[in-house]
Amino acid sequence: MRINKYISETGFCSRRETDRLIEAKRITINEIVCEPGDMVAPGDVVLIDGKTIPKKADSVYLLLNKPVGITCTAAPHVVGNIIEYVNYPIRIFAVGRLDKASEGLILLTNDGDIVNKMMRSENAHEKEYWVTVDRPITDDFIEKMANGVEILGVMTKPCEVISMNDYEFKIILTQGLNRQIRRMSKALGYKVTKLERVRIMNLTLTGLERGAYRELTNEELKLLLSSLREG
């Protein structure tokens, strides 16, 4: 295996950064300074700055029931950012976003591959929300929400929308435009007063209290990864 691929797969740094380390003569293979294109064989000792490469952290997959007021960013200067809120001992990041005023399910992980797969809108992964609005829902509102609403200069994709009572509806999206449900509702003359995500693909809020998080079960992770492969 080429040295830059070998090091990138440890999670220490990217192939491009590995190439920079090679140019700076900071990598050795079996005590010999590495050259571009060098290969690594099983049993070889690879050092960076004379030190062994840290072991790649195990993959972590967490479900958080995000409360209102928490911002889905890793930026440390943002008060109430989701990373400080969870305070997990290793580096993780949120998959997608829920705006500050919204609550409910969000996935956090250190697995960049799963993030890329879940963020590709063309994979049509379902996300289910329960929404409360400020005035009685009509059949016309439900029909228009389901068939598509023009926001941000585009028409939203058709989706499943079901009235739950006079002021609440369920909506299942397969795309993720910025503040999509709020913007769709506003375009039709409604204001969202509460928005909760209750499902992401096969993952649900069941049994998860507001503000709490837990690891995915083996069964949940297996089904999630299988669905992503199919997508």
Side-chain angles (χ1 to χ4, degrees):
M1 181 183 298
R2 285 184 179 273
I3 181 64
N4 55 2
K5 185 174 189 292
Y6 172 84
I7 291 180
S8 71
E9 289 190 355
T10 69
F12 181 81
C13 64
S14 67
R15 296 191 190 190
R16 182 172 296 180
E17 182 60 27
T18 299
D19 290 337
R20 295 193 186 102
L21 295 175
I22 293 171
E23 291 176 5
K25 309 295 184 184
R26 294 171 59 186
I27 301 177
T28 61
I29 302 175
N30 300 328
E31 300 184 353
I32 299 173
V33 175
C34 181
E35 298 291 340
D38 278 355
M39 306 294 286
V40 180
D44 284 348
V45 178
V46 178
L47 303 179
I48 299 176
D49 295 330
K51 300 177 181 178
T52 57
I53 302 170
K55 182 181 178 182
K56 184 178 181 180
D58 292 335
S59 294
V60 172
Y61 306 92
L62 304 178
L63 280 184
L64 168 68
N65 189 345
K66 186 188 92 67
V68 170
I70 299 302
T71 304
C72 292
T73 179
H77 66 276
V78 176
V79 177
N81 74 75
I82 195 169
I83 302 305
E84 289 186 357
Y85 177 80
V86 174
N87 194 28
Y88 201 71
I90 67 172
R91 180 176 176 269
I92 55 175
F93 36 87
V95 182
R97 296 177 63 86
L98 272 177
D99 64 62
K100 188 176 181 178
S102 299
E103 57 192 290
L105 199 63
I106 193 157
L107 177 67
L108 298 110
T109 183
N110 61 348
D111 182 352
D113 184 53
I114 199 174
V115 174
N116 293 333
K117 290 178 179 178
M118 292 186 71
M119 295 298 287
R120 292 180 191 143
S121 61
E122 64 267 24
N123 286 342
H125 301 134
E126 289 188 350
K127 298 177 291 294
E128 180 178 337
Y129 302 82
W130 290 356
V131 188
T132 306
V133 289
D134 63 338
R135 63 190 184 89
I137 295 166
T138 64
D139 292 341
D140 182 61
F141 171 80
I142 295 295
E143 182 180 356
K144 288 178 178 177
M145 289 287 286
N147 290 332
V149 179
E150 186 174 349
I151 60 171
L152 301 172
V154 299
M155 187 67 71
T156 60
K157 294 180 179 179
C159 59
E160 181 179 349
V161 185
I162 299 174
S163 176
M164 298 170 68
N165 57 49
D166 288 346
Y167 290 87
E168 296 178 297
F169 65 92
K170 176 177 74 173
I171 182 169
I172 300 175
L173 299 181
T174 56
Q175 65 183 141
L177 300 177
N178 181 255
R179 297 172 64 85
Q180 180 171 343
I181 297 171
R182 294 181 186 276
R183 292 179 188 274
M184 291 171 70
S185 298
K186 183 178 180 180
L188 298 176
Y190 288 74
K191 179 181 178 181
V192 171
T193 58
K194 181 180 179 181
L195 194 156
E196 180 179 27
R197 183 157 63 195
V198 299
R199 179 171 65 88
I200 303 171
M201 299 175 67
N202 64 295
L203 309 174
T204 73
L205 278 180
T206 303
L208 190 59
E209 295 182 0
R210 179 79 70 243
Y213 70 85
R214 65 169 176 81
E215 295 183 355
L216 268 65
T217 66
N218 290 334
E219 292 77 14
E220 287 173 330
L221 181 58
K222 183 178 179 180
L223 181 54
L224 177 66
L225 295 177
S226 175
S227 298
L228 290 172
R229 283 193 295 270
E230 291 172 1

